[in-house]
Amino acid sequence: MSGITYQRIQTEVLHRIRARVWRPGDLIPSEVALAAEFGCARATVNRALRELAETGILERRRKAGTRVSPDPVHKATFDIAVIRREIEALGGVYRHAILQKAHVLAPSFIQALMKLDIHAETLHIRTLHLSNDQPYLYEDRWINMAAVPGIRSADFSRVSVNEWLVQNAPLSGGEITFLAKNADEAEAEALDTTVGKALFVTERLTRIKQVSVTFVRLAYAPGYRMTTRL
Amino acid sequence: MSGITYQRIQTEVLHRIRARVWRPGDLIPSEVALAAEFGCARATVNRALRELAETGILERRRKAGTRVSPDPVHKATFDIAVIRREIEALGGVYRHAILQKAHVLAPSFIQALMKLDIHAETLHIRTLHLSNDQPYLYEDRWINMAAVPGIRSADFSRVSVNEWLVQNAPLSGGEITFLAKNADEAEAEALDTTVGKALFVTERLTRIKQVSVTFVRLAYAPGYRMTTRL
DNA sequence: CAAGTTAATATGTGCAGACATAATAATGTT
DNA sequence: AACATTATTATGTCTGCACATATTAACTTG
């Protein structure tokens, strides 16, 4: 084997971009040309360039060729783990407490968000997740009962709703939103802080085949930071 | 050609997981076995499974085999674009105003964050980005002069610092952090809101080869939401 | 039995060749 | 000149095949 790896090619390409040999907007040589230069198969060059294109560093189009992205759109990736794992990964002891659990007809704003009809039955659960017995996260969740039949018989004293859904309704699609919000009274009380304090909030809408399964709002305790490498 | 694509295999695998044929934690058949079943080359199966593993749905280890992730860590990716493009993508007309620009010795908290030595010279710039003449984003940036020599001669009246750096110091690594923060006086004034209002903030530390280039704090106007698909 | 060695196995990656497909460039036609 | 048609080209993907590598299982050996 020639010893040329696709990773070797990737670092070489990155070097040339950094050294401004190939500048943002420039067209770079074709796969065939690069394969000849590096003395490897085209498939190897293809994989190298394809992966760089996935990160947004390169832009590729058939026939047009490969160019360095004019303004590279960095893609920041965040791991959205089960909350228990998130807490345990930070070295905390996980515990959760259910503050409220009620079967109710969906209020209108939830109907609109989840696109439910007027008579839709939902399970409304408010949970406090604790790390080392300190409030960590306040969860406000609405579940569309029609979409998850087995949920009536589930026992949430041991496994959190969060985990039950991951195990029993895997691989669902949806959207996630990050935002900042001043704490209201319920949030302030649960998270042991004051009304008005800025909270980092994530809202998630989960679907299985176009049908909304659950809407969650997670309000993190003050001071929370969500970090990732670029 | 058999017509079996790697994407076809991916959707089939996803179906089996959703249908709970293969459940979280289960070991799935080997690449060779799947290639035989689908009547395609192992390379095709390999690409299908490798990509699913990158998204966190599968876990793979040599010899041990491929298994469905026990608690799948969803990976949410956010596009971090140049601010002008972000605003224009939302249909706004972009404009920016430089509120402050000063060459200063790095204050101690910046020294610590960027790991600069005591005599390090920095450029401190505060910029307001506007969409349709409405305050959109307040930017507070520190640049390590030593790391970006050409910056002295740059003209920031036409191109924002943001864009200049992307064009002239491409492909740098670093970290990005999301957090919520109560608006202080400077932020409230710039963004035309009240002190204490919850702001969505992103902080970015950018490096080229271990050397810190710039530290930016971006405070978005109230109401900002950052959304992505799962 | 414990510890070290060897074999077996699933994934990881490379190669050469082929055809598919999208987009551009060249060409011909009215 | 405007438009439709036809090459050309770079990427996209699949096929078999080979060897690399990590890791587990099986097999020695003291």
Side-chain angles (χ1 to χ4, degrees):
Chain A
M1 207 172 300
S2 80
I4 294 291
T5 69
Y6 73 97
Q7 299 170 43
R8 171 80 188 72
I9 295 175
Q10 288 182 339
T11 60
E12 178 58 28
V13 169
L14 292 177
H15 268 117
R16 290 188 188 177
I17 297 177
R18 257 192 276 266
R20 301 176 69 65
V21 178
W22 297 333
R23 300 191 301 171
D26 282 3
L27 206 62
I28 76 173
S30 75
E31 292 186 351
V32 180
L34 288 174
E37 182 195 332
F38 292 121
C40 66
R42 184 170 80 93
T44 308
V45 176
N46 179 275
R47 177 161 179 195
L49 300 187
R50 177 162 41 82
E51 289 190 358
L52 288 177
E54 277 164 16
T55 72
I57 289 165
L58 298 177
E59 285 175 7
R60 325 193 70 200
R61 267 169 53 225
R62 278 174 171 156
K63 163 75 184 179
T66 303
R67 60 180 65 245
V68 182
S69 297
D71 25 30
V73 175
H74 280 287
K75 299 203 181 194
T77 315
F78 292 90
D79 291 350
I80 312 293
V82 168
I83 295 163
R84 176 177 57 77
R85 292 242 305 201
E86 179 178 326
I87 287 175
E88 287 170 356
L90 293 168
V93 176
Y94 175 71
R95 190 165 74 76
H96 75 274
I98 294 174
L99 306 179
Q100 187 198 345
K101 181 178 168 186
H103 289 270
V104 292
L105 288 179
S108 55
F109 80 98
I110 288 292
Q111 275 175 30
L113 260 168
M114 297 181 72
K115 288 177 184 157
L116 304 177
D117 65 75
I118 297 183
H119 307 296
E121 199 186 344
T122 60
L123 180 58
H124 182 205
I125 302 184
R126 299 192 301 121
T127 311
L128 183 63
H129 301 265
L130 302 102
S131 173
N132 294 328
D133 289 318
Q134 292 283 324
Y136 181 82
L137 180 61
Y138 172 74
E139 170 182 333
D140 192 338
R141 183 186 292 269
W142 300 80
I143 301 170
N144 176 14
M145 296 300 285
V148 199
I151 203 164
R152 277 181 209 281
S153 52
D155 170 23
F156 296 133
S157 59
R158 296 191 50 125
V159 181
S160 75
V161 191
N162 196 336
E163 276 182 85
W164 189 92
L165 282 170
V166 171
Q167 293 286 328
N168 292 275
L171 282 192
S172 12
E175 293 109 46
I176 187 165
T177 300
F178 295 166
L179 56 116
K181 175 183 183 301
N182 292 98
D184 61 26
E185 275 189 43
E187 290 156 350
E189 191 194 330
L191 294 171
D192 196 22
T193 184
T194 55
V195 172
K197 187 79 185 173
L199 302 180
F200 185 83
V201 172
T202 87
E203 291 182 352
R204 231 184 304 171
L205 182 61
T206 307
R207 271 186 286 265
I208 295 183
K209 296 179 188 170
Q210 324 296 343
V211 179
S212 297
V213 176
T214 177
F215 172 78
V216 217
R217 163 176 281 183
L218 305 176
Y220 286 83
Y224 179 80
R225 299 165 66 88
M226 184 174 240
T227 300
T228 192
R229 285 227 140 62
L230 277 183
Chain B
M1 207 173 301
S2 79
I4 294 290
T5 69
Y6 75 97
Q7 299 170 46
R8 172 80 189 71
I9 295 176
Q10 289 182 338
T11 61
E12 178 58 28
V13 169
L14 292 176
H15 268 117
R16 291 188 188 178
I17 297 177
R18 256 192 278 265
R20 300 177 70 65
V21 179
W22 297 333
R23 300 192 300 171
D26 282 3
L27 207 63
I28 77 173
S30 75
E31 292 185 350
V32 180
L34 288 174
E37 183 196 331
F38 292 120
C40 67
R42 186 171 78 91
T44 309
V45 177
N46 178 275
R47 177 160 178 196
L49 300 187
R50 178 163 40 82
E51 289 191 357
L52 288 178
E54 277 165 14
T55 72
I57 289 165
L58 299 178
E59 288 176 4
R60 325 192 72 200
R61 270 168 54 224
R62 279 173 172 160
K63 163 77 183 176
T66 303
R67 61 179 65 247
V68 182
S69 297
D71 23 33
V73 176
H74 279 290
K75 295 194 194 230
T77 42
F78 292 88
D79 291 350
I80 312 293
V82 168
I83 294 163
R84 176 177 57 76
R85 294 243 304 199
E86 179 179 326
I87 287 176
E88 287 170 357
L90 292 168
V93 176
Y94 176 71
R95 189 166 75 77
H96 75 273
I98 293 175
L99 307 180
Q100 186 199 344
K101 182 179 169 185
H103 289 270
V104 291
L105 289 180
S108 55
F109 81 98
I110 287 291
Q111 274 174 30
L113 260 168
M114 298 181 70
K115 288 178 184 151
L116 304 177
D117 65 74
I118 297 183
H119 306 297
E121 198 186 344
T122 60
L123 180 58
H124 181 203
I125 303 184
R126 299 191 302 120
T127 311
L128 183 63
H129 300 266
L130 301 103
S131 172
N132 294 329
D133 288 319
Q134 291 284 320
Y136 181 83
L137 179 62
Y138 172 75
E139 170 183 333
D140 193 338
R141 183 187 292 268
W142 299 82
I143 300 170
N144 176 14
M145 296 300 285
V148 199
I151 203 164
R152 277 181 208 281
S153 51
D155 170 23
F156 296 132
S157 59
R158 295 190 52 123
V159 181
S160 75
V161 191
N162 194 339
E163 277 182 85
W164 190 92
L165 282 171
V166 172
Q167 293 285 329
N168 293 275
L171 282 194
S172 13
E175 291 110 47
I176 185 164
T177 300
F178 294 167
L179 58 117
K181 176 183 182 302
N182 292 99
D184 62 25
E185 275 191 45
E187 289 156 349
E189 191 195 330
L191 294 172
D192 196 21
T193 184
T194 55
V195 173
K197 188 80 186 169
L199 302 181
F200 185 83
V201 172
T202 87
E203 292 182 352
R204 228 182 308 170
L205 181 60
T206 307
R207 272 187 285 265
I208 295 182
K209 296 180 189 171
Q210 324 297 342
V211 180
S212 298
V213 176
T214 176
F215 172 79
V216 215
R217 162 176 280 184
L218 306 176
Y220 286 82
Y224 179 79
R225 300 165 66 89
M226 183 174 241
T227 300
T228 193
R229 284 228 143 61
L230 276 183

